[in-house]
């Protein structure tokens, strides 16, 4: 069974631009969560989707948004990029909402210049 | 506010020794506590979890201890191997409410041959 796939692996964007990151969960997993990882703040929860519905949202500005499609694939979008948005963005999938074990992808390394 | 933290940012051990990684948490309402291992260039990997109504759980070469009185969690790795070198994160999850994971800052474990 393939793991969680995130694309692209690396991305360089300019301040003010917007970016879309993609996550394909493990087959059969319907819950997808996104996290931002930085050296200073560590791993921080962005949002979680289940059956195309956002169930939880972390403390991030409205520039951060996401969605989930009927095949459980998810995208997150960051608009009006700031230098501080440079981070590793991780996606995790769970088989069922409420399941404890989350499986993480390798992440997308976003650099904003 | 809720927070999960770690006592030490780095830990260096000799191969074959036992390792103990500690974590303090502040949210008494958390139902699950989870340890993740993150190797360089990879996403976090689930190691073991413990429910809040337990005080000890054992896996393969790993043991997690939970002390709810002092809000302390530890991960013990027996016979530490070079492949155990990674950053270890504790995380907490509230089963009844938000399903997000709240991560600690991480401890970097280095195993010396």
């Amino acid at each position: 069974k393939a793991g969680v796939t995130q694309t692209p692996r690396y991305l360089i964007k300019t301040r003010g631009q917007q970016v879309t990151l993609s996550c394909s969960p493990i087959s059969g997993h319907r819950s997808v969560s996104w996290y931002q990882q930085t050296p200073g703040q560590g791993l921080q929860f962005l949002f979680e989707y289940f059956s195309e519905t956002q169930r939880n949202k972390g403390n991030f500005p409205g520039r951060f948004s996401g969605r989930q499609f009927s095949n459980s694939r998810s995208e997150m979008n960051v608009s009006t990029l700031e230098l501080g948005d440079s981070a590793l963005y991780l996606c995790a999938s769970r088989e069922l909402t409420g399941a404890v074990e989350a499986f993480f992808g390798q992440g997308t390394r976003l650099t904003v210049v | 506010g809720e927070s999960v933290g770690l006592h030490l940012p780095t830990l260096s051990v000799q191969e074959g020794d036992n390792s103990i990684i500690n974590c303090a948490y502040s949210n008494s309402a958390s139902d699950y506590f989870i340890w993740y291992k993150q190797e360089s260039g990879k996403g976090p990997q689930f190691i073991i979890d413990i429910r809040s109504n337990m005080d000890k759980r054992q896996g393969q070469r790993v043991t997690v201890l939970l002390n709810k009185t002092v809000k302390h969690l530890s991960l013990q790795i027996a016979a530490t191997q070079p492949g155990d070198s990674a950053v270890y994160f504790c995380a907490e999850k509230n089963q009844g409410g938000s399903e997000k994971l709240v991560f600690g800052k991480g401890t970097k474990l280095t195993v010396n041959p």
Side-chain angles (χ1 to χ4, degrees):
Chain A
K1 199 182 247 190
V4 178
T5 304
Q6 292 188 245
T7 57
R9 286 292 310 279
Y10 303 93
L11 206 50
I12 300 175
K13 289 287 188 178
T14 305
R15 273 182 302 176
Q17 287 187 313
Q18 68 91 28
V19 67
T20 298
L21 312 180
S22 179
C23 170
S24 292
I26 292 172
S27 178
H29 287 196
R30 295 167 62 191
S31 173
V32 173
S33 299
W34 288 89
Y35 292 82
Q36 181 195 64
Q37 186 175 26
T38 59
Q41 297 299 316
L43 280 149
Q44 292 189 295
F45 172 80
L46 281 158
F47 23 65
E48 176 170 4
Y49 289 88
F50 180 78
S51 293
E52 302 177 64
T53 302
Q54 185 180 90
R55 294 178 64 90
N56 294 295
K57 192 178 191 314
N59 296 324
F60 280 82
R63 299 185 296 107
F64 291 81
S65 63
R67 58 178 176 170
Q68 187 181 32
F69 302 94
S70 58
N71 62 358
S72 295
R73 189 177 71 85
S74 177
E75 289 181 346
M76 66 163 282
N77 182 279
V78 188
S79 62
T80 320
L81 283 165
E82 300 176 0
L83 296 178
D85 296 332
S86 294
L88 180 66
Y89 290 88
L90 291 158
C91 167
S93 75
R94 285 192 181 92
E95 187 169 3
L96 293 171
T97 182
V100 177
E101 184 171 355
F103 295 84
F104 283 83
Q106 290 186 295
T108 293
R109 172 72 63 184
L110 172 65
T111 302
V112 182
V113 297
Chain B
E2 58 189 13
S3 67
V4 179
L6 291 159
H7 293 312
L8 293 173
T10 61
L11 176 64
S12 184
V13 301
Q14 291 298 123
E15 183 178 358
D17 287 352
N18 296 333
S19 303
I20 300 176
I21 301 172
N22 295 304
C23 176
Y25 66 92
S26 60
N27 187 355
S28 300
S30 294
D31 290 315
Y32 283 92
F33 300 89
I34 308 148
W35 283 99
Y36 279 89
K37 171 187 180 183
Q38 187 174 25
E39 296 175 278
S40 181
K42 297 183 179 180
Q45 178 185 6
F46 175 93
I47 300 173
I48 191 169
D49 69 286
I50 187 168
R51 196 161 186 172
S52 61
N53 62 359
M54 301 170 66
D55 53 23
K56 181 179 180 179
R57 190 173 185 206
Q58 289 184 294
Q60 186 178 8
R61 283 201 306 118
V62 296
T63 300
V64 57
L65 298 177
L66 176 63
N67 186 332
K68 293 182 288 293
T69 302
V70 294
K71 295 181 184 175
H72 183 268
L73 184 71
S74 69
L75 177 70
Q76 300 177 4
I77 304 173
T80 314
Q81 303 168 0
D84 295 327
S85 293
V87 177
Y88 289 81
F89 295 95
C90 64
E92 57 184 310
K93 183 180 184 297
N94 188 337
Q95 186 77 358
S98 171
E99 296 184 28
K100 72 180 183 182
L101 294 172
V102 177
F103 284 89
K105 295 286 188 192
T107 292
K108 183 176 181 180
L109 174 65
T110 301
V111 182
N112 302 307

